[in-house]
Amino acid sequence: MNWFIGRAEALSNPEAARHKALERLRDLAQLDDPESLVVPILLDAILMAESYRGARHQISFLPELTRSVDALLRELTIVDKTKEWSE
């Protein structure tokens, strides 16, 4: 499964982008420890939302959130590849 949501797609059709992300997250149950990947992302997302309230500056921990999301996507890609190879 080729999975990528670009900025243009997320901004032009957020509902479709959410649906695409939800489809991708369905494989979370197949990971060894999904909580260890998801909880840090949720914490960073909460902090990001709180820090953007009324602010017009760059979020200092956006790179950490990006790394957390990338790690989750890497693990989900491994699950996808494993399913492909087993079929």
Side-chain angles (χ1 to χ4, degrees):
M1 173 182 197
N2 186 10
W3 188 83
F4 179 76
I5 297 175
R7 182 174 190 262
E9 181 181 5
L11 292 174
S12 67
N13 193 346
E15 190 60 34
R18 284 184 186 100
H19 180 70
K20 195 174 186 180
L22 184 59
E23 284 298 315
R24 182 71 168 137
L25 294 175
R26 292 191 193 282
D27 287 334
L28 277 174
Q30 296 182 26
L31 299 178
D32 289 334
D33 186 15
E35 292 86 5
S36 69
L37 293 168
V38 175
V39 171
I41 293 169
L42 291 175
L43 292 172
D44 287 343
I46 290 168
L47 293 176
M48 181 175 70
E50 290 299 319
S51 68
Y52 257 124
R53 290 188 199 279
R56 295 178 185 247
H57 62 309
Q58 179 67 31
I59 301 171
S60 61
F61 49 85
L62 189 56
E64 288 85 359
L65 178 59
T66 301
R67 282 192 294 275
S68 298
V69 170
D70 289 345
L72 174 63
L73 293 176
R74 274 192 304 276
E75 292 296 322
L76 289 172
T77 299
I78 290 169
V79 169
D80 283 346
K81 294 295 182 187
T82 302
K83 281 197 284 187
E84 286 176 17
W85 294 336
S86 67
E87 293 175 352

